[in-house]
Amino acid sequence: MRFKKASALFIALAVVGVACGSSSSSTTKSTTAGTTPAGGTTPAGTNAPATGATLVIATDLPLQGASKDASADTNNAVQLVIDQAGGKAGAYTITLKTYDNSTAAKGGWDDATCAKNASDHVANKSEVAVMGTYNSGCAKIEVPVLNQDPSGPMLIVSHANTNPGLTKAWNPGEPDKYYPTGVRNYGRVIATDDYQGSADAQFAKQDLKVTKCVVLNDAQTYGVGVATAFKAEAKKQGIEIVADQAWDAKQPNYTALFEGLKSLNPDCVFLGGINDNNGEQLIKDKVSVLGPNKGAVKLIAPDGFTGYPTVEKLAEAQDMYISFAGLPASELIKAGGAGAKFVTDFKTKYGHDPASAYAIYGAAAMQYIMASVAASDGTRKGVLQAAFSGKITITKDKSVIGKEFSIDTKSGDVTVRDMSIQLLTGNVETFLKAWPVA
């Protein structure tokens, strides 16, 4: 899921800063003590770590602002995966290092911080892979830097990036411009917005029977992308797009915006963007001008609005529909198996349900990374080669998302695609139905 267009300036700054030291905005958790055990051996003729050496896998998430709860529980879920594996990936001991790509001033992810983190990942020679990022715009800054790592490319696997351009042709130059070496080093375990936007439009027409929609976007990578997909499918479904414009996240309110749209008589408003960008004020003013979401004008939002306790408790947000590019924890529990067990284990260890379904997908991404490390020689290059070898599959009996999955070796996209429609009611996001993905 999620976001702001990566400028060429910040990508260039990140590449220049590859030799920088480690990030001051990160912390390290050791899962087991010690490094190389007695008797550890290094493969002859290689620079690979000794068998049994300690390797670092990083997470790169926004730990401040509206996404902090989701990110904190993603780190918790990732740590739980490591703990349940006994702190081991094959012959290697694994340590988790957490990076924060947000700033307090931004209240969310920050271009310059993403650029610095990318440089720090490369500079930290103990790191072999990255789990992240949460926001697609941040990934578009970091991936090219990790791709040019002289000892790599360095593997990065996301649990939440849904912008299609990271893996497939979407905007001019995509996705090739993110892979300057010509080698793919990015994968994800979540479906993309070309599917999500389409599912939202199909649901709007087929289930809600809407005919005239206003489409708003937050002018960021994710928001524009999912709004574009929604518009394209809406037209196929026979929905008229009566307005299509961006909202300014810095505005104190949007009363004038909705007053201007009222005369168009929409029966649907689609919010292409993230809650971090003043989304709650947008929701409040939609209701104050166009009426409650259960009334004549339905409110639909993508996963940029899922997993926010402040949204769930907002009176004006009740009865809005929120899609999610995956399956929520409630459905994993119902399905039983490894997915249900992981959700239960999470609650047992941390005393609460995951703040966001993306926490579980973070765990899935970590499973894939650890399997790649286990199958490698312990070097960045070796981990990447294993990840894209076509030999890594997380089987159903092990998968925290309850389904067997792997990553396509050509694109980096996950091989299983799920889409959910949720209804926010009674201050809780309630699973409404799964939506088939073509």
Side-chain angles (χ1 to χ4, degrees):
M1 130 187 171
R2 315 181 193 232
F3 310 109
K4 191 167 169 185
K5 214 161 198 175
S7 67
L9 170 62
F10 281 115
I11 291 176
L13 286 173
V15 173
V16 170
V18 160
C20 294
S22 62
S23 171
S24 60
S25 61
S26 61
T27 59
T28 303
K29 294 181 182 178
S30 294
T31 54
T32 57
T35 52
T36 307
T41 59
T42 301
T46 75
N47 293 317
T51 299
T54 295
L55 304 178
V56 174
I57 299 174
T59 60
D60 198 309
L61 305 168
L63 301 179
Q64 303 174 79
S67 300
K68 66 179 181 179
D69 291 338
S71 294
D73 273 356
T74 298
N75 280 333
N76 285 338
V78 165
Q79 186 65 55
L80 181 56
V81 169
I82 296 172
D83 293 345
Q84 291 185 336
K88 293 283 189 178
Y92 303 103
T93 298
I94 299 300
T95 293
L96 175 66
K97 185 177 179 69
T98 63
Y99 286 75
D100 182 3
N101 60 39
S102 64
T103 64
K106 276 279 192 77
W109 77 276
D110 174 70
D111 301 64
T113 306
C114 291
K116 184 180 187 304
N117 283 3
S119 299
D120 290 345
H121 291 311
V122 173
N124 183 355
K125 298 306 179 184
S126 296
E127 283 185 35
V128 293
V130 179
M131 198 302 293
T133 60
Y134 184 60
N135 305 97
S136 297
C138 185
K140 290 184 177 185
I141 293 171
E142 294 201 19
V143 172
V145 179
L146 303 187
N147 188 260
Q148 296 174 85
D149 173 12
S151 61
M154 190 173 185
L155 175 67
I156 176 169
V157 180
S158 175
H159 63 309
N161 297 158
T162 55
N163 184 265
L166 284 157
T167 54
K168 61 188 79 172
W170 188 247
N171 291 314
E174 291 181 336
D176 293 346
K177 66 181 179 181
Y178 305 119
Y179 309 100
T181 66
V183 177
R184 294 289 179 105
N185 64 311
Y186 170 87
R188 54 179 146 202
V189 296
I190 202 80
T192 50
D193 287 330
D194 42 347
Y195 298 112
Q196 183 174 197
S198 295
D200 287 334
Q202 291 164 8
F203 170 74
K205 179 64 176 181
Q206 297 171 28
D207 284 35
L208 302 184
K209 310 300 182 186
V210 305
T211 59
K212 299 169 72 175
C213 280
V214 167
V215 177
L216 303 176
N217 72 80
D218 62 2
Q220 292 192 355
T221 298
Y222 161 79
V224 172
V226 71
T228 298
F230 179 89
K231 288 183 294 183
E233 183 62 27
K235 291 175 182 177
K236 293 179 184 177
Q237 293 289 322
I239 298 173
E240 181 184 359
I241 305 300
V242 296
D244 174 19
Q245 62 190 84
W247 82 78
D248 181 355
K250 296 180 180 179
Q251 289 296 312
N253 67 74
Y254 303 96
T255 301
L257 169 65
F258 287 110
E259 289 287 1
L261 298 171
K262 190 173 184 179
S263 63
L264 301 174
N265 297 314
D267 54 8
C268 154
V269 173
F270 180 77
L271 306 180
I274 59 173
N275 181 56
D276 307 52
N277 288 327
N278 211 14
E280 288 163 46
Q281 187 63 48
L282 195 70
I283 293 170
K284 290 177 183 178
D285 293 332
K286 178 273 172 189
V287 171
S288 69
V289 177
L290 299 181
N293 303 319
K294 201 172 185 178
V297 185
K298 310 301 182 186
L299 183 61
I300 305 170
D303 60 345
F305 284 82
T306 194
Y308 291 95
T310 52
V311 174
E312 292 177 347
K313 295 173 183 176
L314 187 67
E316 293 87 349
Q318 304 308 303
D319 300 307
M320 71 181 288
Y321 298 94
I322 305 175
S323 60
F324 172 62
L327 292 174
S330 61
E331 291 308 292
L332 299 181
I333 291 290
K334 288 179 184 177
K341 181 180 183 303
F342 187 80
V343 174
T344 301
D345 289 346
F346 182 99
K347 187 170 185 177
T348 298
K349 180 168 184 176
Y350 299 111
H352 62 272
D353 290 320
S356 167
Y358 279 118
I360 307 301
Y361 283 81
M366 193 62 171
Q367 284 188 308
Y368 195 87
I369 291 171
M370 289 183 68
S372 300
V373 171
S376 77
D377 63 1
T379 64
R380 290 177 181 176
K381 184 176 181 180
V383 171
L384 178 66
Q385 288 176 339
F388 281 80
S389 67
K391 298 178 181 179
I392 305 297
T393 297
I394 307 302
T395 56
K396 183 178 180 180
D397 63 317
K398 303 288 185 183
S399 170
V400 298
I401 59 173
K403 293 184 177 182
E404 180 174 298
F405 72 92
S406 60
I407 289 176
D408 184 274
T409 59
K410 293 182 179 179
S411 68
D413 282 325
V414 70
T415 53
V416 59
R417 297 189 295 265
D418 290 308
M419 200 66 60
S420 301
I421 304 296
Q422 302 181 104
L423 175 65
L424 204 169
T425 180
N427 299 330
V428 177
E429 287 181 48
T430 302
F431 177 80
L432 190 61
K433 66 194 309 181
W435 199 264
V437 175

